[in-house]
Amino acid sequence: MLNRATIDSVSAKNPESLTVLDREYPTDSWMNIPPSILAKTVCRLHLQPGHPLNLLKARIEDHFEKFSKDIGSKGFRVKDSLNPIVTVEQNFDDLFISKDHPGRRPTDTYYVNEGHVLRTHTSAHQREALRTRDAPGYLVTADVYRKDEIDTSHYPVFHQMEGIYTFDRANLETEAALPASLSTPANVEVTGAKVCSETNPGQDVHTLRETELVGAHLRTSLECMVRNIFDDPNLRIRWNDDYFPFTAPSWEMEVWYQDRWMELCGCGVMKQEILDKTGNESRIGWAFGFGLERIAMVLYGIPDIRLFWSMDERFHSQFKNASKSSVVKFQPYSKYPSCYKDISFWCPESYHENEFSEVVREVAGDRVETVALIDKFTHPKTKRTSRCYRIQYRAMDRTLTNEEVDSIQESVRQMVSDKCGVELRG
Ligand code: FA5
Ligand code: MG
């Protein structure tokens, strides 16, 4: 139950250092990781036997192992235990993410100190994987951290898998040729597969033919993967142009699932400089990064992203003994009732919604289901802006009492006014 002591511990002065997976990092005034997020760094759900994310990871790794055999390749090396704290260089600079990119702001990213962050994507490990030069491919799975809004499909910690594959550039025609048996069958609708265009250009250092070959190999590899994982030979797949500063050209892949297009991953032809700087000057390659929760939610029918973090036996018992080759469908146990409370306040100019979400999450933990902005207006004279949010509370494993919700809401109000510089209304 939340009390003043909990609030104090959250707003307490930062410790001088923190230890994550046996490594100690000094902290400084940049440190903005709340205790609830720090606690998640040890969970590594993708490594917990019988966890749906672990099942899915194993399923994809198996697929790529078989796929490598089919294409006569030495295959993919698996990396799944890399420390979540990386340098700002690894997470941003090495990937040519500009200094003023909003993703770098402390309102979007968790900093340990000025030079270290909790990785925001698995691409932070591209160079480290490539430097080992011990295989043509890598599959890097990890927990990633982003400050974000709150709803049933967003959580500040999620899991990504990065795939990397490189070819000997001098031998590309042969190495990138795929057996005809793998080409996407005619009954699969694939749209938007373009090589490159004025708005999604290739790199000057690559010939059009190289871009074509690497792009086609990437797309076929991913198409085979999702057809296999979803076990649906008729899956509809759509490619859209995308932009990432570390790939060119870049695409995102969507699949048609339950009556809507769902984004599964971003990908592209790797920037040659990344290969050149890691001792792979003679190679050319592609990379992709997709979200495991997105796939697991639809594949296993898991309706709420918080369930991955649930301790409830009724959740885990359904996956514990599942084999990775079969797809278990989650049977929802009864949903407990929810209740909502509204909060409205005047915002300072520096107000940032992610920080508000974080305070709510810090106070209410997984008892908060969604936070939705329901009203916003600017006072015509003072030009001050007021926002009103509706906070939906629901526990996954029991009914919340009125007193408990009232007390959480009161704590949210206190913390928000202390930490976000807002002036509460009503
Ligand atoms: C990236 O993170 C890039 N690093 C991907 C990449 C890798 C591009 C290699 C090129 C080469 P993006 O932010 O779009 O891109 O996230 C990739 C995937 O992670 C998304 O397609 C989605 O499946 C998943 N994802 C992103 N944000 C969330 C979230 N808040 N919750 C759950 N899944 C998410
Ligand atoms: Mg994207």
Side-chain angles (χ1 to χ4, degrees):
M1 189 75 159
L2 199 103
N3 53 35
R4 193 67 227 178
T6 324
I7 300 174
D8 288 345
S9 74
V10 171
S11 51
K13 289 254 172 316
N14 296 324
E16 271 166 22
S17 77
L18 68 91
T19 303
V20 173
L21 300 175
D22 294 335
R23 274 182 64 185
E24 196 180 335
Y25 300 84
T27 57
D28 60 19
S29 61
W30 284 70
M31 162 72 180
N32 64 350
I33 314 175
S36 67
I37 297 295
L38 262 183
K40 299 272 194 292
T41 58
V42 296
C43 297
R44 306 209 279 190
L45 300 181
H46 59 288
L47 299 179
Q48 303 301 321
H51 192 281
L53 295 176
N54 180 256
L55 284 171
L56 176 61
K57 167 182 177 283
R59 214 172 137 83
I60 299 171
E61 287 168 358
D62 279 1
H63 164 78
F64 276 108
E65 199 179 313
K66 181 170 174 301
F67 180 77
S68 304
K69 290 207 181 92
D70 291 344
I71 64 171
S73 155
K74 291 209 188 74
F76 293 78
R77 185 129 318 184
V78 167
K79 295 191 181 281
D80 56 16
S81 313
L82 299 170
N83 198 294
I85 298 185
V86 298
T87 62
V88 168
E89 285 77 35
Q90 285 174 292
N91 201 77
F92 300 118
D93 300 322
D94 286 354
L95 296 159
F96 317 112
I97 295 171
S98 65
K99 293 277 184 209
D100 58 358
H101 191 280
R104 290 195 187 231
R105 292 183 199 143
T107 48
D108 288 55
T109 292
Y110 293 109
Y111 282 82
V112 175
N113 55 41
E114 192 176 2
H116 290 86
V117 297
L118 285 174
R119 69 187 150 222
T120 64
H121 54 173
T122 42
S123 302
H125 297 294
Q126 280 191 3
R127 291 199 189 210
E128 175 176 0
L130 285 164
R131 246 180 241 119
T132 61
R133 291 193 291 163
D134 53 358
Y138 299 93
L139 292 175
V140 180
T141 305
D143 36 323
V144 303
Y145 299 77
R146 296 183 190 176
K147 291 199 185 186
D148 224 327
E149 66 222 77
I150 299 181
D151 63 27
T152 51
S153 65
H154 287 84
Y155 202 80
V157 191
F158 61 99
H159 296 74
Q160 285 188 335
M161 184 186 276
E162 188 94 357
I164 300 173
Y165 196 78
T166 67
F167 311 85
D168 175 9
R169 209 170 160 182
N171 204 16
L172 184 61
E173 291 284 344
T174 317
E175 286 191 12
L178 287 166
S181 61
L182 287 182
S183 66
T184 301
N187 61 335
V188 175
E189 184 191 331
V190 179
T191 52
K194 280 181 295 205
V195 184
C196 50
S197 62
E198 233 164 72
T199 50
N200 190 19
Q203 300 165 49
D204 292 343
V205 287
H206 295 154
T207 65
L208 181 61
R209 176 70 183 155
E210 284 176 321
T211 308
E212 234 167 41
L213 283 168
V214 176
H217 191 278
L218 164 63
R219 283 195 300 267
T220 305
S221 302
L222 279 170
E223 285 166 15
C224 285
M225 194 274 282
V226 295
R227 264 165 39 218
N228 189 327
I229 296 307
F230 285 90
D231 199 14
D232 177 0
N234 298 313
L235 196 68
R236 285 171 71 194
I237 299 169
R238 181 165 80 174
W239 291 99
N240 301 319
D241 289 351
D242 204 340
Y243 172 78
F244 300 99
F246 41 97
T247 49
S250 308
W251 303 278
E252 66 170 11
M253 179 195 225
E254 293 180 317
V255 298
W256 182 258
Y257 203 85
Q258 291 172 345
D259 299 325
R260 63 182 187 101
W261 288 107
M262 174 178 66
E263 178 197 330
L264 284 194
C265 77
C267 61
V269 177
M270 296 181 84
K271 282 277 174 79
Q272 193 59 37
E273 195 179 329
I274 294 179
L275 293 163
D276 292 350
K277 292 262 172 71
T278 51
N280 293 282
E281 300 82 351
S282 62
R283 303 186 71 82
I284 181 168
W286 53 246
F288 66 73
F290 61 78
L292 287 180
E293 278 84 349
R294 290 270 169 92
I295 304 183
M297 284 173 84
V298 292
L299 192 62
Y300 303 122
I302 298 172
D304 190 305
I305 198 161
R306 289 176 299 168
L307 282 163
F308 292 102
W309 298 91
S310 162
M311 303 286 181
D312 199 316
E313 255 312 287
R314 286 171 299 175
F315 178 76
H316 292 287
S317 61
Q318 298 191 32
F319 296 97
K320 213 159 49 189
N321 300 313
S323 94
K324 57 190 175 187
S325 54
S326 62
V327 173
V328 178
K329 282 288 173 202
F330 174 64
Q331 301 300 322
Y333 33 89
S334 64
K335 251 189 162 183
Y336 292 88
S338 71
C339 115
Y340 68 78
K341 299 270 170 200
D342 294 344
I343 179 170
S344 45
F345 42 74
W346 294 108
C347 301
E349 252 178 60
S350 63
Y351 174 78
H352 200 293
E353 191 158 293
N354 285 351
E355 304 215 302
F356 168 63
S357 294
E358 183 171 281
V359 166
V360 178
R361 181 96 67 184
E362 207 47 36
V363 173
D366 284 354
R367 292 170 298 186
V368 54
E369 182 164 284
T370 54
V371 175
L373 182 66
I374 55 173
D375 188 37
K376 178 181 164 184
F377 80 93
T378 303
H379 194 281
K381 288 225 177 76
T382 63
K383 302 284 181 250
R384 284 212 300 172
T385 301
S386 158
R387 285 179 171 78
C388 178
Y389 290 92
R390 177 154 297 171
I391 307 178
Q392 188 91 26
Y393 295 102
R394 189 203 308 268
M396 309 300 282
D397 53 357
R398 69 201 157 86
T399 301
L400 295 172
T401 63
N402 284 334
E403 296 78 52
E404 188 176 359
V405 173
D406 285 344
S407 141
I408 303 173
Q409 180 73 4
E410 191 41 45
S411 303
V412 166
R413 289 173 61 85
Q414 279 184 34
M415 277 274 266
V416 168
S417 92
D418 285 359
K419 296 195 99 182
C420 303
V422 304
E423 186 189 318
L424 295 172
R425 310 180 59 203

